[in-house]
């Protein structure tokens, strides 16, 4: 029998490993940024073109590499972060596997320029598909510059699997923000196709959050601080009134490494119990510092999952710390009945210096003359004189005159106090009571053959969906002008998303006065919605478009209409009068597809007389 097991070539093994480490351009950004941070960089620049498909360049001013290190860095399992297996339990660096650069070099054209502080010239290495094509000395400043070109050039299937440029750019921004939020002491910049998206100077955590998400974020943050023997917690949570419809602004960092933890997320949501609206998610930026021996990072190649030794203790500490902060800053009520809230020092007064009170002294006061002065006091000498109250008859003096006195009271006609007619008589009675509402959720209507049961929310969603689709594709909708323009704040990523669908939104009836960096001004809204619903509706729209903004015009219009219709439709639990019930029934069966909602769910069902008879048989 022939031997069939053989060792794979290095370039094939690297391509296989790249499938786990490098999933999209954002994965390359993450790995290169973490290498720059481990090199103790003070400033990191990121340049991308065509959402990273054409070029990804990361420039730092870190320690740099020697000629040997530069060559070795592209070998598999070559790393400076660990030396023995026990080092895995004392990790403070970002990387430790030694797979990132080897995997990237296997599926792209890579150019590395690096120089240490003591070297006179740097080293330039060019690699194409794991093969080194050139290695030469070069002139370069201290630090490292890595350029990754033509990503997935030799794996066309993976390249075709990538999403549109807008979607890939959003993934890159997500990874960039996660790294930048974890390291506010480092200066970061991000440039895409020549446009500067972010310029973040070195700052503290609060300033870094504000610089990334917009200036208005500062007033939404509540500080969280807790130091125990198990974990040290710091960071911020958002106030409940600023909770969003999406989970975008939720960040956990463990030892300055971004992680995803549904278990800890549940602890945060539980601490906001009773403070959030339905289907709203709190914002949080929480930094957990734990002993590296108590966690295991080596679970997944992306290193976003961590195993904790004592998750239950972390859960309890995190929940109580957030509850304490919400109560301390009067965001949530405190159940302390012996405490007088008027004696609390306001939070903004804590840095103020105490000043000496001003005391006014009446130097003419003589206590020995008080008795005499009281006896000799004459009200007539003072400027105040109390008038005698007038009698009630004086209110009617002068009303009688010759003209009024001669009028016979019997000739005056008075309006009858009894209401004989009804202004709205017949309006409700004209509408035949052919519909009924069940549990404020279903509309029951009668048919010749039986009973019709309609889901009121799905029915109204179908009606609004077809109306919005018609407004966007056929004719522009009617707008109602706002007396005072509405100003709403969004972060950079949300503003870009609104820019992409701005034209379609204008077709539905929105009128945008201006688009700033982190603020949008709306001067007109569709007639179907009220001003108070605009912010909630746009937040839900952004949440629906967060996964993908279709390039196809019709697909974008369809998704926009579905999202708006779902947000604007009457909810289950809303009481409807007979006219509103009948209106929904009539409009539903005037639709092109009355049986299914826009999300392909059943809108109504019928119950025939025969089926009812069988129930009583």
């Amino acid at each position: 029998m022939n031997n069939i097991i053989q060792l794979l070539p290095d370039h094939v093994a690297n391509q296989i490993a790249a499938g786990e480490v490098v999933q999209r351009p954002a994965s390359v950004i993450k790995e290169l940024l973490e290498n720059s941070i481990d090199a103790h960089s003070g400033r990191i620049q990121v340049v991308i073109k065509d959402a990273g498909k054409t070029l990804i360049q990361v420039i730092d001013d870190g320690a740099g590499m020697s000629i040997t290190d530069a060559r070795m860095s592209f070998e598999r399992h070559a790393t400076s972060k660990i030396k023995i297996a026990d080092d895995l339990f004392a990790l403070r660096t970002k990387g430790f596997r030694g797979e990132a650069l080897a995997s990237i070099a296997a599926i792209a054209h890579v150019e590395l320029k690096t120089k240490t502080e003591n070297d006179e010239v740097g080293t330039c290495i060019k690699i194409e598909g794991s093969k080194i094509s050139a290695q030469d000395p070069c002139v370069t400043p201290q630090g490292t510059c890595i350029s990754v070109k033509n990503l997935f050039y030799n794996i066309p299937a993976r390249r075709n699997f990538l999403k549109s440029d807008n979607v890939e750019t959003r993934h890159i921004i997500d990874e960039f923000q996660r790294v930048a939020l974890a390291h506010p002491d480092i200066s970061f910049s991000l440039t895409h196709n020549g446009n500067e998206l972010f310029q973040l100077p070195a700052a503290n955590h609060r300033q870094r959050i504000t610089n990334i998400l917009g200036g208005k974020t500062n007033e939404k943050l509540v500080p969280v601080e807790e130091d125990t023997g198990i974990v040290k917690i710091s960071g911020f949570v958002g106030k409940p009134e600023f909770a969003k419809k999406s989970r975008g602004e939720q960040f956990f960092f463990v030892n300055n490494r971004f992680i995803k933890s549904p278990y800890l997320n549940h602890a945060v949501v539980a601490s906001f119990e009773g403070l959030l609206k339905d289907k709203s998610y709190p914002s949080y930026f929480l930094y957990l510092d734990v002993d590296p021996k108590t966690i295991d990072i080596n679970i997944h190649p992306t290193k976003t999952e961590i195993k904790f030794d004592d998750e239950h203790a972390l859960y309890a500490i995190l929940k109580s710390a957030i509850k304490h902060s919400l109560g301390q800053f009067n965001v949530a009520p405190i159940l302390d009945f012996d405490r007088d809230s008027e004696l609390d020092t306001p939070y903004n007064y804590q840095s103020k210096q105490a000043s000496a009170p001003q005391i006014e002294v009446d130097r003419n006061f003589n206590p020995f003359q008080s008795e005499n002065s009281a006896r000799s006091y004459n009200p007539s000498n003072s400027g105040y004189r109390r008038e005698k109250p007038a009698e009630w008859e004086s209110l009617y003096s002068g009303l009688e005159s010759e003209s009024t006195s001669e009028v016979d009271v019997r000739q005056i006609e008075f309006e009858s106090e009894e209401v004989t007619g009804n202004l709205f008589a017949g309006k409700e009675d004209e509408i035949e009571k052919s519909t009924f509402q069940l549990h404020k959720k279903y509309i029951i209507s009668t048919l010749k053959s039986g009973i019709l049961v309609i889901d009121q929310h799905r029915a109204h969603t179908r009606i609004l969906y077809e109306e919005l689709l018609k407004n966007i594709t056929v004719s522009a909708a009617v707008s109602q002008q706002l007396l005072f323009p509405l100003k709403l704040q969004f972060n950079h990523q949300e503003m870009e998303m609104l820019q992409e669908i701005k034209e379609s939104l204008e077709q539905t009836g929105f009128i945008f006065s201006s688009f700033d960096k982190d603020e949008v001004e709306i001067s007109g809204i569709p007639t179907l919605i009220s001003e108070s619903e605009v912010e909630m509706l746009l937040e839900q729209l952004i949440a629906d478009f967060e996964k993908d903004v279709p390039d196809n015009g019709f697909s974008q219009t369809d998704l926009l209409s579905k999202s708006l219709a779902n947000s604007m439709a009457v909810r289950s639990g809303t009481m409807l009068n007979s006219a509103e019930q009948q209106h929904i029934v009539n409009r539903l069966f005037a639709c092109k597809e009355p049986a299914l909602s826009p999300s392909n769910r059943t809108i109504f069902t019928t119950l025939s007389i025969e089926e009812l008879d069988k129930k009583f048989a």
Side-chain angles (χ1 to χ4, degrees):
M1 182 178 178
N2 295 329
N3 299 326
I4 58 175
I5 297 178
Q6 58 183 350
L7 190 66
L8 287 174
D10 286 343
H11 69 279
V12 177
N14 288 337
Q15 286 190 10
I16 295 172
E20 294 182 347
V21 178
V22 183
Q23 300 170 353
R24 56 188 350 134
S27 306
V28 178
I29 295 284
K30 173 182 178 293
E31 298 294 342
L32 297 183
L33 283 176
E34 290 182 347
N35 284 342
S36 295
I37 291 168
D38 288 339
H40 308 291
S41 304
R43 176 177 174 78
I44 301 175
Q45 299 171 270
V46 181
V47 180
I48 58 175
K49 289 184 179 179
D50 300 330
K53 299 173 185 176
T54 303
L55 172 68
I56 298 173
Q57 189 176 45
V58 177
I59 308 166
D60 66 61
D61 58 355
M65 291 181 283
S66 64
I67 298 176
T68 305
D69 286 346
R71 186 73 177 253
M72 279 291 293
S73 64
F74 291 99
E75 298 294 331
R76 288 192 70 203
H77 308 303
T79 179
S80 62
K81 316 298 171 58
I82 61 174
K83 291 181 173 60
I84 57 176
D86 290 341
D87 291 342
L88 288 171
F89 303 102
L91 281 172
R92 287 287 181 181
T93 57
K94 300 292 183 184
F96 56 87
R97 294 175 183 275
E99 290 182 332
L101 287 181
S103 299
I104 294 169
I107 54 174
H109 298 158
V110 180
E111 182 181 44
L112 169 68
K113 293 182 180 179
T114 184
K115 174 183 171 297
T116 62
E117 183 180 4
N118 299 324
D119 290 338
E120 293 183 0
V121 294
T123 303
C124 177
I125 297 178
K126 295 182 180 180
I127 300 178
E128 298 178 2
S130 296
K131 296 179 180 179
I132 297 178
S133 59
Q135 178 176 339
D136 301 300
C138 67
V139 177
T140 184
Q142 178 188 340
T144 303
C145 172
I146 297 183
S147 302
V148 179
K149 304 175 184 177
N150 305 323
L151 190 65
F152 299 125
Y153 80 100
N154 53 356
I155 311 179
R158 177 62 67 89
R159 189 175 180 88
N160 294 333
F161 183 72
L162 295 177
K163 303 290 185 182
S164 64
D165 284 0
N166 292 327
V167 176
E168 295 299 336
T169 303
R170 279 202 295 276
H171 283 290
I172 290 173
I173 291 175
D174 283 342
E175 293 292 349
F176 177 84
Q177 289 179 349
R178 291 167 182 174
V179 176
L181 285 170
H183 299 275
D185 55 325
I186 301 175
S187 173
F188 289 89
S189 68
L190 175 62
T191 305
H192 180 218
N193 290 340
N195 299 320
E196 186 178 80
L197 301 183
F198 291 97
Q199 183 63 254
L200 307 175
N204 56 34
H205 282 115
R206 189 173 197 129
Q207 291 170 335
R208 177 55 55 88
I209 294 169
T210 303
N211 289 336
I212 289 178
L213 300 179
K216 301 293 182 180
T217 310
N218 187 36
E219 62 190 31
K220 305 176 184 178
L221 301 177
V222 177
V224 178
E225 292 287 341
E226 192 65 50
D227 194 355
T228 67
I230 299 175
V231 61
K232 180 181 178 181
I233 301 173
S234 62
F236 305 90
V237 294
K239 295 179 181 178
E241 59 265 31
F242 298 108
K244 298 205 166 188
K245 293 289 183 182
S246 63
R247 304 174 187 265
E249 296 178 1
Q250 295 184 340
F251 297 90
F252 274 119
F253 301 95
V254 175
N255 295 350
N256 290 332
R257 183 192 301 276
F258 173 79
I259 67 158
K260 296 178 181 178
S261 175
Y263 187 67
L264 295 182
N265 177 74
H266 188 273
V268 178
V269 175
S271 63
F272 278 88
E273 186 178 2
L275 300 175
L276 296 175
K277 298 178 183 177
D278 186 33
K279 294 183 180 179
S280 295
Y281 304 98
S283 301
Y284 55 81
F285 309 86
L286 296 172
Y287 301 83
L288 281 65
D289 191 5
V290 299
D291 187 350
K293 295 180 182 179
T294 63
I295 57 175
D296 185 7
I297 305 170
N298 194 20
I299 296 175
H300 193 271
T302 58
K303 298 186 279 288
T304 56
E305 298 178 16
I306 289 182
K307 288 292 183 183
F308 297 93
D309 277 358
D310 194 352
E311 280 189 329
H312 297 291
L314 278 176
Y315 184 98
I317 294 170
L318 184 61
K319 182 179 177 181
S320 61
I322 295 173
K323 273 186 170 291
H324 175 70
S325 292
L326 294 176
Q328 181 182 3
F329 297 103
N330 294 327
V331 177
I334 299 177
L335 295 178
D336 187 357
F337 299 105
D338 296 329
R339 171 178 157 274
D340 188 356
S341 60
E342 294 182 358
L343 299 179
D344 291 347
T345 303
Y347 177 61
N348 57 346
Y349 279 25
Q350 66 175 1
S351 58
K352 288 190 175 183
Q353 298 294 329
S355 59
Q358 299 293 328
I359 302 174
E360 295 183 0
V361 179
D362 185 4
R363 300 189 180 278
N364 297 324
F365 176 73
N366 189 343
F368 300 102
Q369 296 178 355
S370 59
E371 188 176 352
N372 296 331
S373 61
R375 289 177 180 174
S376 62
Y377 175 74
N378 186 2
S380 61
N381 295 333
S382 65
Y384 171 76
R385 179 178 295 175
R386 185 175 181 180
E387 297 289 342
K388 184 180 179 182
E391 299 293 338
W392 66 270
E393 293 91 344
S394 63
L395 296 173
Y396 298 94
S397 62
L399 289 179
E400 293 186 1
S401 62
E402 295 181 0
S403 58
T404 56
S405 61
E406 295 176 357
V407 176
D408 188 359
V409 178
R410 291 173 295 180
Q411 298 178 359
I412 300 176
E413 295 183 1
F414 296 94
E415 184 179 353
S416 174
E417 295 182 0
E418 183 180 354
V419 179
T420 57
N422 185 0
L423 183 62
F424 303 100
K427 293 290 183 182
E428 194 71 26
D429 300 334
E430 289 175 4
I431 301 172
E432 186 181 353
K433 291 268 186 180
S434 60
T435 59
F436 304 91
Q437 193 176 22
L438 179 64
H439 291 294
K440 298 181 183 178
K441 184 177 182 180
Y442 299 105
I443 298 174
I444 312 297
S445 182
T446 57
L447 296 170
K448 291 182 179 180
S449 59
I451 295 175
L452 178 70
V453 184
I454 302 172
D455 186 305
Q456 65 185 35
H457 175 69
R458 295 181 186 177
H460 199 206
T461 303
R462 163 56 66 176
I463 295 167
L464 293 174
Y465 168 73
E466 293 198 4
E467 186 173 340
L468 288 166
L469 207 59
K470 180 181 177 183
N471 290 338
I472 298 174
T473 56
V474 180
S475 60
V478 180
S479 299
Q480 55 177 335
Q481 295 292 321
L482 298 177
L483 185 61
F484 300 102
L486 191 62
K487 294 183 178 180
L488 303 175
Q489 280 81 34
F490 297 99
N491 60 40
H492 181 273
Q493 198 168 345
E494 292 169 343
M495 289 296 295
E496 283 203 345
M497 206 175 300
L498 286 175
Q499 281 279 19
E500 293 178 41
I501 58 176
K502 177 185 174 184
E503 187 176 347
S504 298
L505 282 172
E506 288 174 341
Q507 292 293 326
T508 64
F510 282 95
I511 299 176
F512 298 97
S513 305
S514 64
F515 262 87
D516 294 333
K517 186 177 181 181
D518 58 353
E519 186 179 69
V520 59
E521 185 177 272
I522 301 172
S523 58
I525 58 176
T527 55
L528 298 170
I529 63 174
S530 62
E531 185 177 347
S532 60
E533 297 174 335
V534 173
E535 185 172 7
M536 178 273 295
L537 189 144
L538 289 180
E539 283 185 2
Q540 184 62 52
L541 183 65
I542 290 171
D544 292 338
F545 273 83
E546 193 172 18
K547 294 181 180 179
D548 190 9
V549 177
D551 289 334
N552 188 341
F554 177 76
S555 299
Q556 181 176 322
T557 301
D558 182 64
L559 182 57
L560 175 65
S561 301
K562 285 179 181 177
S563 177
L564 290 176
N566 187 57
S567 301
M568 294 159 59
V570 61
R571 295 288 172 187
S572 297
T574 305
M575 178 65 76
L576 302 176
N577 59 37
S578 298
E580 292 168 337
Q581 297 169 25
Q582 193 65 49
H583 178 74
I584 288 180
V585 174
N586 295 339
R587 291 284 302 278
L588 173 64
F589 290 101
C591 293
K592 294 180 179 179
E593 185 59 59
L596 296 175
S597 69
S599 55
N600 291 325
R601 303 177 74 180
T602 304
I603 294 178
F604 65 85
T605 184
T606 57
L607 190 61
S608 65
I609 296 294
E610 289 77 10
E611 290 174 321
L612 283 172
D613 290 339
K614 289 179 182 178
K615 299 287 184 183
F616 291 97

